[in-house]
């Protein structure tokens, strides 16, 4: 991975290895068990710690992003396990409570947040869906609790009113959109069709892809923002077919499987048109029952560096059934950063944790796991946590200032490999 300092606006590209087409891919409630109060973060609601760091998870066990739940839960579980093995936070084991985020078709997320707040959560990790997080952010941050998502990519969160309590380890869609748009143009697609789910995630990402394609000399000949809850996508796909684009961009969640079936039915298979997918619909489980080769050659983008083999092995020890590893590194890093910020603040209160998150993510002595980092903190050192997902380094908006996007390609088995075709790393503001 190339690391670019958080200044400068160029997007760097580095080729990575391996076109190997091998693929790898729960969450329950585990009681795995942080303190005095420093000054609350500016504008943040008052919140008092009780001496024990309590982390709640708000991640998908059901709904359109349920396939992302297992790796995200596993990432948090692994981090909490290692934190507690290292002595916990402020001398006490971290407590963790898991809940379901559901999706926007239900009120599950709001009910889960109520439950976590009643359990004295100091920080809540989730949701995976930007729209779900947007629906509960006021309730979480209004209670003085840190809201930390490992997977939200909507650009809205950069400027949302969050009392200084919202953070994320996934980069905003402006970077993924630029990378995907550049990829589409570099693959020789001068005409492009976009099928995007109509919500803050789908629309925002489609906007950035469209801008990048147009700026690169291509033409978006048709764009359809569809209702993801629709029973049938034949009319949406027919609009794309009428313009016969060389490249077709699919931006959505679980419903993408239905869109794909309709594309094939209407004579727009990936063998004749170049399909492109995104983090919301890249999956090693959703398409395996389709005819062999349906997704062969399809490319897709994922925020974050690839999970190293050793990290995957640790995740599989936590959950042997994992098939996807999407956002596991970001979830792992979120839990570690929260714990380290609590140690640095000498408090488990949400505003105190928030006030230290940027500090522990950059500028000090580099360290890459909780034990290594907490030992430095206890020795009076300033630290710079280097995550599995990347350097992190929060900016003033709580976004990672620098981020990596991986480009993956599906094989004949309708799965994408563990290794990316390449990684593109850039400054979020660029």
């Amino acid at each position: 991975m190339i690391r670019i300092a958080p200044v400068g606006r160029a997007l760097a590209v580095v080729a990575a290895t391996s076109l190997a087409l091998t693929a790898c891919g729960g969450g329950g409630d585990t009681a795995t068990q942080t303190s005095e109060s420093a000054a609350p973060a500016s504008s943040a609601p008052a919140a008092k710690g009780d001496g024990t760091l309590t982390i709640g998870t708000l991640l998908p066990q059901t709904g359109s992003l349920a396939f992302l739940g297992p790796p995200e839960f596993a990432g948090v579980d692994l981090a909490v396990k290692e934190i507690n093995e290292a002595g916990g936070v402020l001398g006490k084991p971290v407590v963790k409570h898991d809940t379901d985020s559901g999706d926007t078709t239900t009120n599950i997320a709001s009910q889960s947040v109520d439950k976590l707040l009643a359990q004295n959560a100091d920080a809540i990790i989730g949701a995976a869906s930007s729209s779900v997080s947007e629906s509960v952010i006021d309730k979480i941050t209004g209670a003085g609790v840190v809201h930390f998502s490992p997977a939200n990519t909507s650009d809205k969160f950069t400027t949302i009113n969050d009392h200084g309590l919202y953070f994320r380890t996934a980069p905003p869609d402006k970077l993924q959109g630029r990378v995907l748009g550049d990829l589409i143009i570099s693959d020789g697609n001068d005409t492009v069709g976009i099928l995007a789910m109509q919500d803050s995630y789908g629309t925002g990402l489609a906007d950035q892809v469209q801008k990048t394609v147009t700026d690169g000399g291509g033409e978006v000949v048709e764009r359809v923002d569809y209702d993801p809850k629709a029973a049938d996508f034949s009319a949406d796909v027919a609009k794309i077919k009428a313009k016969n684009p060389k490249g077709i961009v699919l931006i959505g969640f679980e419903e993408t499987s239905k869109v794909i079936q309709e594309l094939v039915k209407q004579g727009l298979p990936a063998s004749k048109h170049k399909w492109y997918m995104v983090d919301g619909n890249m999956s090693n489980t959703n398409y395996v029952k389709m005819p062999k080769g349906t997704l062969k050659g399809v490319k897709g983008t994922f925020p974050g560096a690839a999970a190293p083999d050793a990290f995957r092995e640790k995740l599989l020890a936590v959950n042997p059934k994992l098939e996807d590893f999407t956002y596991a590194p970001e979830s792992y890093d979120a839990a570690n950063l929260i714990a380290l910020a609590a140690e640095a603040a000498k408090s488990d209160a949400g505003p105190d944790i928030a006030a230290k998150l940027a500090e522990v993510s950059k500028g000090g002595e580099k360290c890459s796991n909780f034990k290594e980092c907490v030992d430095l903190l206890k020795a009076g050192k300033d630290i710079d946590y280097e995550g599995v997902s990347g350097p992190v380094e929060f900016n003033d908006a709580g976004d990672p200032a620098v981020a990596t996007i991986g480009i993956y390609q599906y094989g004949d088995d309708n799965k994408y490999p563990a290794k990316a075709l390449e990684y593109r790393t850039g400054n979020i503001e660029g």
Side-chain angles (χ1 to χ4, degrees):
M1 179 181 77
I2 290 177
R3 178 177 172 190
I4 301 178
V7 291
R9 304 176 66 83
L11 183 69
V13 179
V14 57
T17 59
S18 186
L19 298 179
L21 296 175
T22 57
C24 307
D29 188 342
T30 1
T32 35
Q33 312 253 311
T34 326
S35 18
E36 316 158 10
S37 242
S42 175
S43 80
K48 295 180 180 179
D50 60 6
T52 297
L53 177 61
T54 300
I55 294 176
T57 62
L58 180 70
L59 297 169
Q61 296 171 337
T62 62
S64 57
L65 283 181
F67 71 95
L68 289 180
E72 291 172 338
F73 279 113
V76 177
D77 289 346
L78 176 59
V80 172
K81 175 178 177 289
E82 293 178 350
I83 291 164
N84 286 341
E85 288 175 349
V89 172
L90 300 174
K92 294 183 180 180
V94 174
V95 170
K96 180 176 69 69
H97 300 293
D98 291 340
T99 66
D100 182 17
S101 63
D103 59 26
T104 54
T105 65
T106 69
N107 195 40
I108 290 174
S110 181
Q111 295 170 8
S112 292
V113 170
D114 288 341
K115 178 181 177 182
L116 292 173
L117 294 179
Q119 293 171 321
N120 297 318
D122 302 301
I124 294 176
I125 296 177
S129 161
S130 292
S131 293
V132 171
S133 284
E134 194 175 351
S135 73
V136 295
I137 188 170
D138 288 345
K139 182 178 286 190
I140 295 171
T141 62
V145 171
V146 170
H147 185 180
F148 199 135
S149 175
N152 288 167
T153 58
S154 170
D155 293 331
K156 284 187 176 182
F157 292 104
T158 299
T159 55
I160 202 165
N161 181 16
D162 60 4
H163 305 291
L165 293 171
Y166 177 86
F167 294 81
R168 53 179 164 181
T169 36
D173 282 324
K174 63 176 71 175
L175 181 57
Q176 183 177 191
R178 291 204 306 267
V179 169
L180 184 57
D182 286 341
L183 174 66
I184 291 165
I185 291 298
S186 66
D187 281 351
N189 300 291
D190 54 3
T191 57
V192 178
I194 299 176
L195 281 158
M197 66 185 295
Q198 193 167 29
D199 78 342
S200 61
Y201 166 76
T203 301
L205 185 48
D207 287 346
Q208 185 62 59
V209 171
Q210 183 167 356
K211 180 180 185 304
T212 305
V213 166
T214 303
D215 290 348
E219 181 184 4
V220 176
V221 293
E222 185 64 64
R223 171 174 164 178
V224 181
D225 289 15
Y226 63 81
D227 177 3
K229 298 185 287 293
D232 176 77
F233 298 98
S234 57
D236 301 314
V237 170
K239 292 177 182 177
I240 299 293
K241 181 180 181 180
K243 299 299 178 65
N244 195 34
K246 291 181 181 177
I248 299 175
V249 185
L250 307 176
I251 301 175
F253 291 159
E254 193 177 47
E255 82 289 342
T256 301
S257 61
K258 295 180 181 178
V259 176
I260 286 174
Q261 291 170 31
E262 192 60 41
L263 284 167
V264 172
K265 182 180 177 181
Q266 294 196 30
L268 302 170
S271 58
K272 295 182 179 178
H273 300 260
K274 293 178 181 177
W275 294 357
Y276 298 87
M277 297 169 72
V278 292
D279 59 308
N281 51 22
M282 289 283 286
S283 171
N284 278 333
T285 56
N286 287 353
Y287 315 114
V288 290
K289 293 183 180 179
M290 291 182 177
K292 187 177 179 181
T294 299
L295 271 71
K296 185 177 181 180
V298 175
K299 294 179 182 177
T301 49
F302 266 135
D309 290 342
F311 180 69
R312 288 171 181 253
E313 289 173 9
K314 291 180 181 179
L315 290 171
L316 286 168
V318 170
N319 181 358
K321 296 181 179 179
L322 280 182
E323 296 182 68
D324 279 313
F325 294 88
T326 312
Y327 291 120
E330 287 80 2
S331 302
Y332 175 83
D333 289 341
N336 276 320
L337 284 160
I338 289 166
L340 290 169
E343 278 283 351
K346 295 182 170 55
S347 169
D348 64 293
D352 299 341
I353 292 171
K356 291 291 185 179
L357 275 168
E359 182 180 307
V360 299
S361 76
K362 61 186 176 183
E365 191 168 335
K366 295 189 186 303
C367 51
S368 58
N369 60 63
F370 178 79
K371 186 176 187 329
E372 182 185 359
C373 293
V374 81
D375 285 349
L376 289 171
L377 283 174
K378 288 177 179 177
K381 302 290 182 66
D382 182 21
I383 65 167
D384 178 358
Y385 176 78
E386 293 279 290
V388 178
S389 65
V392 187
E393 299 194 359
F394 294 118
N395 60 22
D396 291 342
D399 292 338
V402 225
T404 299
I405 306 293
I407 297 170
Y408 296 80
Q409 183 168 301
Y410 277 87
D412 203 43
D413 58 356
N414 298 329
K415 293 183 178 182
Y416 63 89
K419 301 292 184 181
L421 293 169
E422 64 179 75
Y423 298 102
R424 304 187 182 190
T425 301
N427 178 273
I428 300 302
E429 303 304 323

